Amino acid sequence: MDIGLVLQTDPPARLLVERMRRAEAAGFTHGWTFDSAVLWQEPFVIYSQILSQTERLTVGPMVTNPGTRTWEVTASLFATLNDMFGNRTVCGIGRGDSAMRVAGRRPATLDRLSAAMHAIKELAEGREAEVDGTAMRIPWITPGARLPIWMGAYGPKALALTGRQADGFILQLADPFLTEWMVKAVRQAAVEAGRDPASVTVCVAAPAYVTADDSPAALAHAREQCRWFGGMVGNHVADLVARYGEHSEVIPEALTAYIKDREGYDYSHHGRADNPSTAFVPDEIVDRFCLIGPAAAHRERLAELKALGVDQFAIYAMHDAIEPTIDAYGSEVIGRV
């Protein structure tokens, strides 16, 4: 199983680059960042620095979207980095949450997301694609250029699109029951589309907080540092409930029930441990969605996820122990999973 690190592009960018170098030295394979132009610094500028100061790390957004950049620009950004550093990028993409809503726009439709994924991949790999009615090709791309497209999804239609089209599936929670359900949906869609389901890479992304022991005090602190994640996931769940209802047969209640007391969301604290919009998230959801506890507990959960077909676990490191978590995974987790 690969292990990735997800960071926000907060200034100073130098610190993020140093942490990605630290992660590579610890055995991490992927370096991811958020992509929300108003809330954080521009990730593609920072990717160039990460790639120039590491040797093996693959980088990409978790996740970009079809709306904040035109598709040919996104393709050119990835293709330029790959030309400079040798196919070391991956395009994580979704409909757009914070990046679109903070800018006063609605997330993209799945039809537009599908068209964007196709165009970005075709253009970045040197083939012709249509963008908003105009056929184009990037002429300078060298043979052998590759750009995997990994789609973030929760709902049944998004999971089906992932299985039909994407190279990888990004699931932003680490609950084994929901992981099994969603991976099965993606694989079934791949089979129905005539694809090899094993060709779709599965990446689970969630906060991880390694504690010195499993004392109540240590676990309580870790939960408070990771509770924000249930609020972030709740944004997507709220969209699903609005579309399918509170008790839908196509969405597990294990995903939807916890947002019943949700009262809006403050994007100015998006992805941060001090987010005041996450008080509705119960401890049980933190424990299910995140990895907290001693290193042995992390190894146990990762083994369970691996058995469900997960190829990569990407750590959301938005808490007060970023570097200790990187180091703990390097010394006590990565070599054993």
Side-chain angles (χ1 to χ4, degrees):
M1 177 185 280
D2 286 337
I3 302 294
L5 177 67
V6 190
L7 297 174
Q8 294 167 334
T9 54
D10 289 315
R14 170 188 51 78
L15 179 58
L16 185 150
V17 175
E18 290 175 357
R19 284 171 169 164
M20 290 298 185
R21 292 178 61 191
R22 189 185 195 110
E24 182 182 63
F28 287 66
T29 59
H30 288 68
W32 303 89
T33 74
F34 282 21
D35 178 14
S36 192
V38 175
L39 298 178
W40 297 288
Q41 293 183 329
E42 170 56 43
F44 284 90
V45 177
I46 298 172
Y47 295 155
S48 185
Q49 289 295 308
I50 297 171
L51 290 167
S52 71
Q53 296 187 43
T54 57
E55 296 179 0
R56 300 172 304 281
L57 211 64
T58 296
V59 305
M62 191 173 282
V63 293
T64 192
N65 67 85
T68 52
R69 304 178 188 86
T70 60
W71 305 344
E72 73 274 16
V73 170
T74 299
S76 183
L77 287 166
F78 279 111
T80 300
L81 292 172
N82 284 338
D83 185 64
M84 294 172 67
F85 300 104
N87 289 341
R88 289 171 56 198
T89 68
V90 56
C91 177
I93 193 168
R95 294 176 57 229
D97 179 37
S98 64
M100 297 296 284
R101 298 186 200 272
V102 168
R105 306 185 186 103
R106 294 174 61 86
T109 65
L110 288 178
D111 284 346
R112 187 156 180 83
L113 176 57
S114 175
M117 290 194 297
H118 175 77
I120 291 168
K121 184 176 183 66
E122 295 299 291
L123 291 171
E125 294 185 351
R127 296 181 292 274
E128 182 178 288
E130 185 174 296
V131 178
D132 294 329
T134 299
M136 62 184 70
R137 185 179 70 85
I138 300 176
W140 48 262
I141 293 180
T142 56
R146 293 291 178 267
L147 180 63
I149 306 289
W150 294 8
M151 180 178 158
Y154 291 106
K157 292 182 179 179
L159 294 169
L161 174 58
T162 303
R164 289 195 307 269
Q165 183 175 350
D167 299 307
F169 167 41
I170 296 174
L171 173 58
Q172 296 178 89
L173 54 80
D175 174 74
F177 172 80
L178 291 172
T179 298
E180 182 176 19
W181 186 86
M182 294 186 186
V183 169
K184 186 178 296 184
V186 169
R187 286 177 170 164
Q188 181 61 36
V191 170
E192 292 172 357
R195 305 178 69 196
D196 177 2
S199 68
V200 182
T201 302
V202 177
C203 174
V204 161
Y209 197 106
V210 181
T211 60
D213 53 47
D214 59 358
S215 66
L219 295 178
H221 179 77
R223 289 189 185 106
E224 290 310 311
Q225 289 295 307
C226 298
R227 197 175 305 277
W228 63 267
F229 183 67
M232 186 183 81
V233 173
N235 295 332
H236 304 284
V237 175
D239 285 346
L240 294 176
V241 170
R243 176 179 293 271
Y244 296 103
E246 293 184 15
H247 304 289
S248 170
E249 295 181 357
V250 297
I251 307 170
E253 191 172 350
L255 176 63
T256 60
Y258 84 97
I259 69 162
K260 63 182 184 300
D261 295 324
R262 180 179 182 269
E263 298 179 355
Y265 189 81
D266 181 0
Y267 278 94
S268 67
H269 297 272
H270 188 56
R272 300 190 186 280
D274 64 351
N275 192 327
S277 304
T278 59
F280 71 94
V281 180
D283 287 353
E284 184 253 346
I285 287 294
V286 180
D287 292 347
R288 281 174 43 205
F289 285 13
C290 308
L291 273 68
I292 64 171
H298 292 246
R299 295 194 297 267
E300 182 178 352
R301 177 76 69 86
L302 291 174
E304 191 173 0
L305 293 172
K306 184 177 180 180
L308 296 174
V310 175
D311 301 294
Q312 180 181 155
F313 175 62
I315 297 172
Y316 276 121
M318 293 89 191
H319 47 54
D320 64 1
I322 296 174
E323 292 173 2
T325 298
I326 294 171
D327 294 344
Y329 261 68
S331 61
E332 300 182 66
V333 178
I334 291 176
R336 306 188 194 184
V337 298

